[in-house]
Amino acid sequence: MALTGLDIYKLLPKTNCGECGVPTCLAFAMKLAQKQTSLDQCPHVTEQAKEALAGAAAPPIKLVTIGVGEKKIELGNETVLFRHDETFYHPTALAITLDASLPAEEQARRIERINGLSFERVGQTIRANLIAVRSAGDAAAFAAAAKVAGEKSELPLVLVTENPDEMKAALEGVAGRKPLLCGATPENVDAMAALAKEKACPLVIRADGLDALAQLSEKATAAGAADVILDSGARQVAQVLAHQTAIRRAALKKFRAFGFPTIVFPSGGDPMTEAVEAAGYIAKYAGVVVLSGAEPWELLPLLTTRQNIFTDPQKPIQLEAGVYQVGTPDEESPVMVTTNFSLTYFTVEGDVDASKVPAWIVVVDTEGTSVLTAWAAEKFTADSIAQAMKKFEIESKVKHRKVIIPGHVAVLSGKLEEASGWNVLVGPRESSGIPTYLRTSWQRQAA
Ligand code: SF4
């Protein structure tokens, strides 16, 4: 349970010296309870209080990092069971397998394909995150595959073997990349935890069932594995989902043995089954999902699902207001207007691009809301559009004075003509109508 402001206040010096930036210890305690400040802002807090507060303030699910550098992955630090209660902070990492038994050329091709699993959607890059190198029981081949993956990809690695000797051999080449060791079982936990501790790598622990997993978690952490990832051993969908939910619930109640991210392995079979299972696991708390499919069409739906689930529902994704260009527009090109909700803008941009008619798009700041929502909330009005056109100096970009507004807000035409002095053209109601509109109606207007 999180401490309340009053709980925290009881542990503070109560001298009201103000050195923490707020006038009283009580005010500081309240800010701390709301996570708006950190304990180190108070220079007078005692060691004893620090310990008590740190224990209570520790996140219910530990933040675990896999890899180094720009592409490192952070998992955990989640605080809620349901996204709408707050948000989900660290997106599920998608790992793609690389079998060490593959011939060298095939390994190289697969690594290249995994590296290329990166896409742009609503202005964000979404991509596969990890390469899971799987042993086929040959230590030398496993170490060689891990080394090649480390050399040919910047993505963090997962080393999949339960043989500590194989793990040790593979780590010789890639320990500096801080791979995820996958992993420890009740049989090998001492050796694997020792490797994880020595190389400062995160460690997957796998036991059959939740009771055994809790025991193994305690054992692994006692043996020095600081960063653990939990695998309940379940492989059937219903059981995986039940375990994922039970682990998240227990973690949020501060059951420390389960206070770590999880890893799941879809049972595989055909690509469609794998994708459907994986989508369910992304929605239900998986920290890492290990996939065998490496084709763009297998990954893109999962990446889209993940992006949707891990977008903060209280903060719509939005882009900066301004004038954007599609293609290389000139002074005769059409001027269109839309809102700064990313999904709206990038849909419009894609449809303008598909029309092959270069255009200017004036993006109005509607606080990340879509056309009709913004119009209903009076954030996309004749005045706000006219102001944006003026502010972003669209008149300096074109010779004509025609602006195209979305068909859904045709009602704004008259007022916008008055407010802007421009001739207002009503575009299609749906963005999908833009290509036809620009190629026919606009060309006729412009002629
Ligand atoms: Fe109280 Fe510490 Fe802030 Fe001083 S610095 S007011 S002692 S919380």
Side-chain angles (χ1 to χ4, degrees):
M1 290 282 282
L3 292 185
T4 65
L6 281 179
D7 295 331
I8 296 169
Y9 174 66
K10 286 177 196 158
L11 296 164
L12 294 177
K14 304 186 195 72
T15 55
N16 302 332
C17 70
E19 286 177 47
C20 55
V22 290
T24 65
C25 293
L26 183 59
F28 180 72
M30 293 301 172
K31 281 188 87 172
L32 204 54
Q34 288 162 14
K35 299 188 181 125
Q36 290 171 358
T37 187
S38 56
L39 190 59
D40 57 12
Q41 295 302 304
C42 170
H44 306 298
V45 71
T46 64
E47 282 307 316
Q48 201 185 359
K50 256 188 213 165
E51 227 168 80
L53 286 168
I61 300 173
K62 188 173 184 195
L63 186 72
V64 173
T65 304
I66 308 170
V68 293
E70 254 182 40
K71 295 213 163 47
K72 74 180 179 196
I73 293 297
E74 290 186 332
L75 304 169
N77 250 5
E78 304 298 342
T79 52
V80 291
L81 202 54
F82 303 110
R83 188 182 80 133
H84 57 262
D85 284 341
E86 194 170 298
T87 189
F88 292 165
Y89 290 100
H90 292 103
T92 306
L94 299 184
I96 314 293
T97 55
L98 174 73
D99 283 326
S101 58
L102 287 175
E105 318 80 65
E106 270 187 56
Q107 281 184 20
R109 268 201 299 276
R110 190 164 168 91
I111 294 167
E112 205 171 310
R113 197 173 312 145
I114 298 169
N115 285 340
L117 292 170
S118 175
F119 311 88
E120 289 292 319
R121 182 170 180 262
V122 292
Q124 297 179 348
T125 302
I126 50 177
R127 61 161 310 123
N129 312 99
L130 302 160
I131 298 182
V133 185
R134 283 198 301 209
S135 166
D138 177 336
F142 182 56
K147 191 158 178 280
V148 169
E151 285 167 358
K152 290 189 181 298
S153 179
E154 290 179 357
L155 296 179
L157 305 176
V158 186
L159 302 179
V160 187
T161 177
E162 288 174 5
N163 180 330
D165 293 332
E166 281 186 17
M167 189 67 88
K168 199 170 178 190
L171 276 171
E172 293 296 320
V174 295
R177 298 281 297 271
K178 203 177 173 187
L180 172 61
L181 314 187
C182 180
T185 63
E187 290 73 39
N188 69 13
V189 63
D190 291 333
M192 285 293 189
L195 275 176
K197 184 179 176 189
E198 184 194 331
K199 305 291 185 190
C201 291
L203 175 68
V204 172
I205 57 166
R206 180 175 63 74
D208 289 332
L210 297 182
D211 290 343
L213 187 63
Q215 284 171 20
L216 189 60
S217 174
E218 279 163 9
K219 202 165 176 196
T221 46
D227 291 337
V228 163
I229 296 209
L230 305 169
D231 175 3
S232 74
R235 297 293 180 264
Q236 298 306 313
V237 182
Q239 200 184 28
V240 174
L241 291 174
H243 283 182
Q244 289 292 303
T245 308
I247 289 171
R248 172 64 67 94
R249 279 183 190 279
L252 295 182
K253 290 190 170 148
K254 297 251 174 142
F255 178 58
R256 287 295 180 197
F258 284 171
F260 298 100
T262 59
I263 187 169
V264 297
F265 298 80
S267 55
D270 63 290
M272 193 70 88
T273 309
E274 178 172 88
V276 170
E277 282 183 31
Y281 301 157
I282 289 169
K284 281 293 173 192
Y285 316 129
V288 180
V289 178
V290 182
L291 301 159
S292 55
E295 295 298 328
W297 56 266
E298 290 170 280
L299 255 286
L300 190 53
L302 292 175
L303 294 170
T304 306
T305 302
R306 179 181 72 180
Q307 188 183 31
N308 290 343
I309 289 170
F310 284 86
T311 297
D312 186 341
Q314 293 163 59
K315 284 191 217 143
I317 34 174
Q318 50 187 286
L319 77 162
E320 215 173 305
V323 174
Y324 291 77
Q325 54 186 79
V326 184
T328 44
D330 59 23
E331 55 194 15
E332 304 294 344
S333 297
V335 173
M336 311 188 73
V337 170
T338 191
T339 74
N340 75 328
F341 178 40
S342 290
L343 268 180
T344 300
Y345 171 78
F346 286 103
T347 307
V348 170
E349 188 206 62
D351 288 321
V352 173
D353 193 42
S355 76
K356 306 276 182 249
V357 179
W360 304 97
I361 305 180
V362 178
V363 172
V364 180
D365 182 1
T366 58
E367 296 170 24
T369 51
S370 61
V371 170
L372 275 179
T373 311
W375 172 73
E378 299 196 353
K379 289 175 186 155
F380 194 55
T381 61
D383 285 342
S384 68
I385 296 170
Q387 276 166 20
M389 289 168 64
K390 197 162 177 19
K391 181 175 172 189
F392 303 123
E393 297 176 348
I394 189 63
E395 75 275 359
S396 66
K397 312 253 186 234
V398 290
K399 278 206 299 202
H400 64 79
R401 290 295 177 260
K402 293 173 190 156
V403 60
I404 304 165
I405 62 171
H408 275 300
V409 290
V411 67
L412 297 178
S413 304
K415 277 197 177 167
L416 182 56
E417 290 204 343
E418 274 173 35
S420 66
W422 284 47
N423 182 13
V424 175
L425 307 176
V426 176
R429 289 166 75 88
E430 301 301 333
S431 177
S432 56
I434 288 176
T436 308
Y437 176 87
L438 288 181
R439 285 196 298 256
T440 56
S441 304
W442 167 256
Q443 300 295 2
R444 275 199 301 277
Q445 290 281 349

